[in-house]
């Protein structure tokens, strides 16, 4: 989740609705300026007892952040606490229970993305070895209860933690017990955004199935391949889901603005602190009638903050965010942007992907989204067959798109190889969650602590 460190009160005050589409329109870039942003989260644990460390304890999250500054990262302060780091590789930040996230820099190709990921993981492993900390790439804590997890000192998280139980039963699990990998991609025009949004939204359940890695809750199998994905179905219906309006005629920036105006607010950031506005209306804010700040109208930065508080399967800000994948180990971090760059950044591939999904009804898309958390690659795909059957042609399209980009490294390799982990998943018919369950019932003998020995970074 985004990190704010200063009030941007020199921003324009929003006087007209037309200003609300400006951040989205500003995201339009010529093809040669399209970039790849990759975000990945990981669980932090103590290597001696597998406990999730608190912020303040010796060798805890604060010490982890400060130790990373030796690599050139600069501390980001909120309320006198270091809550993030900034640097040339993007931002290192904290999720609510101390999950460590790298929000990578916007990069030109996947070779750079994978090098960035490798640098980050090398840094955290070096520091972790000194502090007695390990890092786990999964979609959900496999063995922790909510009560066993710490809370990080970020103002927006306190507001969200208080609000979540009012609107769903699993929102606290989303905040405290899950990790994800995300890819952020550009568009060239409003029409290009629409096509990319539609293709990526329709195929997001496929990414969920391929990256599913959350089959355990509190030490036991939970009956799902991606319980993280299931959690989103009962987090907050006003700000999650598949967004069927994206497929309606006339969809564009203005329609997304309508959606966001209907999403209840969480907060307003003023003078270095978060003001609780949970459940209040941005429409009232535009009229100067927000109960949390009576008489004030929003700045453009307030709207940008609000755009970050919706959590649909694909999110629009000044770029498109792919949000369907569980967290995972190093090689799958690189595979997710490979999938989406291959599908969306070459026009031939984008058109081919659209041809695959354009006949799917809204009901079929929703049925697929509903089935995937529990059924994974075995879920029935619209038009017949399973998601596993669909995955092969989708990966072929992505490979063709990556090959057409012609981005090669110093060894002359293009980007297609980054899809290989996904090829193996489809070939074997087993998602990461399948493999975890096989080990749990087999070699691990039901001892889930083995996951720390075998799956840590």
């Amino acid at each position: 989740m985004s990190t704010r460190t200063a009030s941007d009160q020199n921003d324009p005050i929003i006087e007209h609705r037309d200003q609300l589409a400006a951040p989205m329109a500003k995201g339009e870039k010529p093809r040669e300026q399209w970039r790849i942003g990759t975000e990945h989260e990981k669980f932090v644990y103590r290597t001696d007892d597998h406990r999730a460390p608190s912020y303040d304890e010796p060798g805890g999250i604060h010490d982890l952040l400060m130790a990373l500054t030796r690599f050139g990262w600069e501390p980001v302060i909120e309320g006198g606490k270091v809550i993030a780091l900034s640097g040339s590789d993007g931002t290192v930040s904290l999720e609510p229970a101390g999950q460590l996230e790298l929000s990578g820099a916007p990069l030109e190709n996947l070779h750079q993305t994978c090098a960035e990921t490798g640098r980050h993981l090398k840094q955290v492993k070096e520091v972790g070895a000194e502090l007695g900390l390990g890092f786990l790439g999964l979609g959900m804590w496999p063995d922790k209860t909510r009560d066993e997890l710490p809370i990080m000192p970020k103002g927006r998280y306190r507001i969200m933690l208080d609000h979540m139980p009012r609107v769903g039963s699993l929102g606290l699990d989303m905040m405290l017990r899950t990790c994800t990998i995300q890819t952020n991609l550009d568009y060239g025009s409003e029409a290009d955004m629409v096509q990319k949004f539609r293709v990526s939204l329709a195929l997001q359940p496929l990414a969920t199935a391929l990256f599913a890695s959350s089959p355990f809750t509190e030490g036991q199998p939970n009956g799902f391949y991606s319980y993280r994905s299931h959690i989103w179905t009962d987090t907050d219906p006003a700000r999650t889901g598949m967004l069927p309006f994206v497929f309606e005629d006339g969809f564009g920036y203005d329609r997304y603005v309508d959606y966001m105006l209907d999403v209840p607010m969480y907060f307003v950031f003023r003078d270095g602190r978060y003001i609780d506005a949970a459940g209040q209306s941005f429409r009232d804010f535009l009229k100067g009638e927000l109960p949390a700040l009576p008489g004030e109208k929003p700045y453009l930065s307030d709207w940008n903050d609000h755009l970050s508080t919706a959590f649909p399967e694909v999110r629009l800000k000044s770029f498109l965010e792919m949000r369907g994948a569980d967290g995972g180990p190093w090689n799958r971090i690189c595979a997710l942007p490979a999938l989406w760059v291959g599908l969306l950044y070459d026009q031939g591939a984008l058109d081919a992907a659209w041809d695959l999904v354009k006949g799917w009804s809204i009901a079929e898309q929703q049925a697929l989204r509903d089935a995937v958390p529990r059924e994974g690659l075995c879920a029935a795909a619209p038009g017949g067959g399973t998601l596993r059957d669909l995955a092969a042609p989708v990966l072929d399209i992505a490979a063709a798109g990556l090959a057409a980009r012609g981005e090669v490294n110093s060894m002359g390799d293009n980007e297609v190889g980054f899809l290989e982990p996904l090829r193996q998943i489809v070939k074997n018919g087993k998602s990461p969650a399948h493999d975890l369950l096989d080990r749990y019932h087999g070699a691990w003998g039901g001892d889930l602590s083995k996951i720390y020995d075998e799956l840590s970074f």
Side-chain angles (χ1 to χ4, degrees):
M1 299 183 190
S2 60
T3 299
R4 276 265 254 145
T5 59
S7 300
D8 298 323
Q9 295 190 24
N10 292 324
D11 283 355
I13 293 177
I14 299 175
E15 301 285 0
H16 308 288
R17 179 194 160 91
D18 292 347
Q19 292 171 268
L20 301 180
M24 304 162 202
K26 188 177 180 180
E28 296 176 5
K29 298 179 178 69
R31 181 181 296 270
E32 60 271 18
Q33 294 180 21
W34 291 355
R35 296 293 182 264
I36 306 163
T38 305
E39 303 179 21
H40 43 94
E41 302 164 359
K42 63 204 74 66
F43 297 112
V44 184
Y45 66 92
R46 288 220 162 276
T47 53
D48 57 355
D49 59 7
H50 302 158
R51 180 174 53 82
S54 68
Y55 180 85
D56 288 313
E57 69 183 67
I61 299 298
H62 170 267
D63 289 351
L64 170 61
L65 292 177
M66 293 308 297
L68 287 170
T69 61
R70 77 177 67 157
F71 302 106
W73 294 98
E74 294 291 332
V76 175
I77 310 296
E78 179 190 307
K81 300 277 192 178
V82 178
I83 47 86
L85 305 169
S86 63
S88 59
D89 278 344
T91 303
V92 176
S93 59
L94 303 175
E95 291 298 294
Q99 306 99 307
L100 193 71
E101 177 179 6
L102 176 70
S103 298
L107 300 172
E108 294 182 15
N109 59 61
L110 293 167
H111 308 295
Q112 295 171 348
T113 294
C114 228
E116 173 191 77
T117 299
R119 283 192 298 274
H120 171 69
L121 296 181
K122 182 180 179 181
Q123 291 168 10
V124 299
K125 286 174 69 176
E126 178 180 316
V127 169
E130 297 168 4
L131 296 176
L133 300 175
F135 305 90
L136 192 61
L138 289 170
M140 182 174 174
W141 270 119
D143 55 357
K144 303 288 187 287
T145 66
R146 293 177 187 172
D147 291 341
E148 291 176 306
L149 297 171
I151 304 297
M152 297 298 106
K154 293 182 68 171
R156 68 180 287 168
Y157 291 163
R158 186 71 268 165
I159 293 169
M160 292 173 66
L161 286 165
D162 289 343
H163 182 67
M164 284 294 179
R166 303 170 192 155
V167 292
S169 68
L170 297 177
L172 296 180
D173 290 318
M174 179 276 289
M175 295 185 68
L176 301 175
R177 297 207 281 186
T178 66
C179 279
T180 184
I181 308 169
Q182 295 180 193
T183 300
N184 305 326
L185 297 179
D186 291 316
Y187 44 84
S189 64
E190 186 171 20
D192 185 43
M193 179 279 293
V194 170
Q195 187 179 19
K196 287 174 175 172
F197 206 148
R198 289 172 173 169
V199 167
S200 59
L201 191 56
L203 290 176
Q204 209 61 219
L206 176 59
T208 300
L210 288 169
F211 286 80
S213 64
S214 45
F216 304 111
T217 302
E218 299 179 11
Q220 301 292 328
N222 54 32
F224 292 82
Y225 294 120
S226 178
Y227 193 73
R228 184 203 65 88
S229 182
H230 170 68
I231 283 170
W232 280 111
T233 67
D234 194 8
T235 290
D236 184 347
R239 65 184 79 241
T240 60
M242 285 291 285
L243 308 187
F245 64 84
V246 169
F247 297 90
E248 295 175 357
D249 291 343
F251 171 70
Y253 301 142
D254 196 57
R255 180 63 184 87
Y256 197 81
V257 167
D258 278 338
Y259 163 69
M260 286 304 308
L261 287 174
D262 289 334
V263 171
M265 294 178 65
Y266 276 147
F267 58 80
V268 183
F269 191 79
R270 289 289 185 275
D271 300 321
R273 67 187 184 92
Y274 287 92
I275 298 170
D276 191 342
Q280 297 177 27
S281 167
F282 207 95
R283 295 182 191 274
D284 291 340
F285 203 3
L286 291 171
K287 295 184 289 186
E289 298 174 359
L290 190 71
L293 282 177
E296 289 197 31
K297 289 190 173 183
Y299 296 95
L300 188 57
S301 58
D302 295 320
W303 177 242
N304 287 328
D305 281 345
H306 186 58
L307 290 174
S308 75
T309 65
F311 310 118
E313 298 292 297
V314 178
R315 180 165 68 183
L316 174 62
K317 295 194 285 190
S318 58
F319 46 85
L320 286 166
E321 299 181 1
M322 313 297 134
R323 300 177 50 83
D326 282 7
W330 185 87
N331 67 344
R332 290 208 302 277
I333 292 173
C334 302
L336 185 73
L339 172 65
W340 293 117
V341 169
L343 292 174
L344 304 185
Y345 268 13
D346 173 73
Q347 190 61 49
L350 181 59
D351 289 341
W354 176 236
D355 284 341
L356 278 181
V357 303
K358 66 184 180 183
W360 295 2
S361 69
I362 297 300
E364 287 174 324
Q365 291 182 40
Q366 188 60 55
L368 180 60
R369 167 64 182 89
D370 292 342
V372 157
R374 193 179 291 274
E375 299 178 25
L377 289 168
C378 295
T386 65
L387 264 188
R388 182 186 178 189
D389 299 324
L390 177 68
V394 169
L395 290 178
D396 287 343
I397 292 171
L402 293 174
R405 280 167 48 82
E407 295 281 356
V408 298
N409 62 13
S410 60
M411 303 293 291
D413 299 320
N414 65 18
E415 298 170 310
V416 175
F418 292 112
L419 292 173
E420 185 56 28
L422 306 184
R423 294 278 198 195
Q424 289 301 313
I425 289 169
V426 174
K427 178 181 178 181
N428 298 331
K430 290 188 174 183
S431 69
H434 281 86
D435 289 335
L436 290 170
L437 289 165
D438 285 349
R439 294 191 212 186
Y440 175 82
H441 292 295
W444 295 351
D447 180 5
L448 199 52
S449 69
K450 300 291 187 183
I451 206 166
Y452 294 96
D453 300 325
E454 297 191 22
L455 267 76
S456 295
F457 287 114

